[in-house]
Amino acid sequence: MSLRSLRALCLTSFFIADVRDGLGPFLGIFLTQRHWQPDDIGLLMTLGGVAGLLATLPAGFITDTSKNKRTLLALLCIMITASTLLLWFSQQNSVVALSQIVSGICAAFVGPLITGITLGLTGQRGFNAQMGKNEAFNHAGNFFTALIAGGIAWYWGVGGIFLLMACTTVLTLCALLAIRSKDIDNDAARGIQSSVPQPLPGLSVLTQNRALLITGLTLMLFHLANAALLPMLSMRVAATPGAMNPGLYAAATVIISQAVMIPVAIWVSRRIDKYGYWRLIMLALLIMPLRAALAATSAAPLMMVPVQILDGAAAGILGVVVPGFIVALLCDSGHVNAGQSVVMLMQGVGASMSPALTGMIAGNYSFATAFSVLSAIALVALLIWWRYASVLIEHASARALKAGAD
């Protein structure tokens, strides 16, 4: 593997952190300050999520078959940034909807492409370690851009975040160009370890993989509980007269969680062999109900500190362990990125519905009630993962042993 390309991949992960999510938690604040209601914001965010869902399966299949993943990722970054910049010029319903749809579709490709490029550079043996580095750099990128975004929001308002996103897009493109295309093994990028030719990914093979579907269902419920929690924290502050600067608050929530994710991602990548995928994912699932319950107990701004520390721990674990677990489940099948897209699709179902569900509950009842519902949903995800432990562990172990024999 090329050290130069791996370093460039780390830099790509660093800068793309601010590109992939568009305005992220600042979107709700930006629209709230322009007199949008929480339920309307939630519905439009859900619209973008649905658009992303429709693109998720094609994203995985295209990644598996693509011979130039760098160029495709670069084009997608440009499209996300261009569509987000539209919001600065107009906040009409049609413009916001178009922006969210385009961003949602393009963002659906980023995860599989980063995974494919990583696997193509490292092969399966070095994948977990490199994914740990990717995630650490990605969280570091979110951390530092959130610091800058907080300063911008403090002095110039949330609108200045648009300029920051444009700058990080340029830097992402420069990092992508430093990755050598010849260093990416397109067969390894699909999860092929043997020299025997493998067929192109087939959807039927993925839908018949019971462990993969259980994983997807569990993470769907996790993201249904998790996705709207951070935006709703920021919107609760923005809707409270006399509260702290909402832009600064949103930046602080991101900074806290990202600061935790960095060491967690590195630690997890070095402990997968010791503890196994199932136990580490179980740990992340245990965190989410507690996080949502804490958010429901108090609207005090300082409550975001323990809430976001827990968010950083859970996200830091899942960001490294889930891709590695799917690689283990589909080892040597040639379907790895398509498998990633199946799980991402199920995660996206939960994430896309989360803002609308939480926004509706918050609009008709209260933010505390909405957070309580999220905690209950997270408990269901935890129970499903516990119930099917034997299926998940045995399936992953069998695939890993088969790949070792080949």
Side-chain angles (χ1 to χ4, degrees), residues 8 74 105 157 159 176 178 238 274 338 395:
I105 292 173
L176 277 172
K274 180 178 180 180
H395 198 117

Side-chain angles (χ1 to χ4, degrees), residues 27 31 36 38-54 96-97 100-101 104-105 224 227-228 231-232 348-360:
L27 176 62
L31 294 177
W36 283 60
D39 51 347
D40 293 329
I41 296 172
L43 287 173
L44 276 169
M45 291 172 70
T46 297
L47 180 63
V50 171
L53 290 180
L54 297 177
V96 176
Q100 292 304 293
I101 290 172
I105 292 173
L224 177 61
M232 286 295 165
V349 170
S352 64
M353 297 306 297
S354 185
L357 172 66
T358 314
M360 180 180 65

Side-chain angles (χ1 to χ4, degrees), residues 310-377:
L310 293 174
D311 178 48
I317 294 169
L318 294 177
V320 177
V321 177
V322 171
F325 184 54
I326 297 171
V327 168
L329 288 178
L330 299 173
C331 179
D332 210 26
S333 68
H335 307 308
V336 167
N337 295 296
Q340 298 278 356
S341 71
V342 169
V343 174
M344 289 178 64
L345 172 62
M346 299 180 77
Q347 289 180 159
V349 170
S352 64
M353 297 306 297
S354 185
L357 172 66
T358 314
M360 180 180 65
I361 296 172
N364 289 280
Y365 298 97
S366 67
F367 284 104
T369 302
F371 292 137
S372 297
V373 172
L374 297 184
S375 181
I377 294 171

